[in-house]
Amino acid sequence: MINIVKYVILIVILGVTGFLIQDYTYDFPISYVAGTKVTLASEYIKDSVFKRLIIPVTIASVPLLYLFVKKVTQLKSISGLVYFIICSTGILFWSFRINMYIQGIISGEIDNLKEVDFGYYLMFGFITGTLLSILIFKIIERKA
């Protein structure tokens, strides 16, 4: 029971954190490259309720993805490494999308903010990190 409460509290905290930082996940990378404060992407995102919830829900799902890995692999004391793999692949996919988006702006192929979708890439990165963790720890489990 205590573990369930602990995970629910962690999910709520991460969801609220995701809601608070979601504008920065769009504005910061574009502003960093442009050299000035850019808020165009977050203006588009504010128009859509569904798109507004993608990043908070994705970030809040990390403990559930960890529990999935823990149940599938049956290994003990792997939590730090699993969280690292899941989060790093999510950030890797997110940064890959930022790079593609910036290259599209530079080449003139992207002129519409509807093509941003950073949240989807973060979500697919977390899912890929989960599958990668399962694969790694299943191989370790077989060798042990």
Side-chain angles (χ1 to χ4, degrees), residues 72-131:
V72 170
T73 59
Q74 301 294 326
L75 287 175
K76 307 291 184 226
S77 70
I78 58 170
S79 63
L81 188 56
V82 172
Y83 279 122
F84 175 75
I85 292 171
I86 291 172
C87 291
S88 63
T89 54
I91 291 170
L92 183 69
F93 275 51
W94 175 69
S95 62
F96 176 70
R97 177 60 182 144
I98 291 168
N99 189 22
M100 286 178 21
Y101 181 72
I102 291 169
Q103 292 299 322
I105 290 173
I106 292 170
S107 67
E109 295 172 3
I110 296 177
D111 59 350
N112 193 348
L113 292 175
K114 292 181 182 177
E115 300 177 18
V116 176
D117 296 331
F118 291 145
Y120 291 121
Y121 280 79
L122 186 65
M123 177 178 47
F124 291 135
F126 285 164
I127 292 170
T128 304
T130 302
L131 297 175

Side-chain angles (χ1 to χ4, degrees), residues 2-63:
I2 293 176
N3 281 337
I4 294 172
V5 172
K6 185 170 54 171
Y7 282 109
V8 168
I9 290 171
L10 185 58
I11 289 169
V12 169
I13 289 171
L14 288 175
V16 169
T17 303
F19 188 75
L20 293 174
I21 67 168
Q22 72 181 346
D23 287 337
Y24 297 110
T25 61
Y26 290 93
D27 293 343
F28 176 72
I30 298 168
S31 298
Y32 181 73
V33 172
T36 60
K37 176 101 171 94
V38 177
T39 58
L40 295 175
S42 64
E43 293 300 321
Y44 167 73
I45 300 303
K46 290 177 184 174
D47 294 339
S48 172
V49 174
F50 178 72
K51 290 205 180 254
R52 190 101 173 121
L53 293 176
I54 291 172
I55 290 180
V57 169
T58 301
I59 292 174
S61 70
V62 171

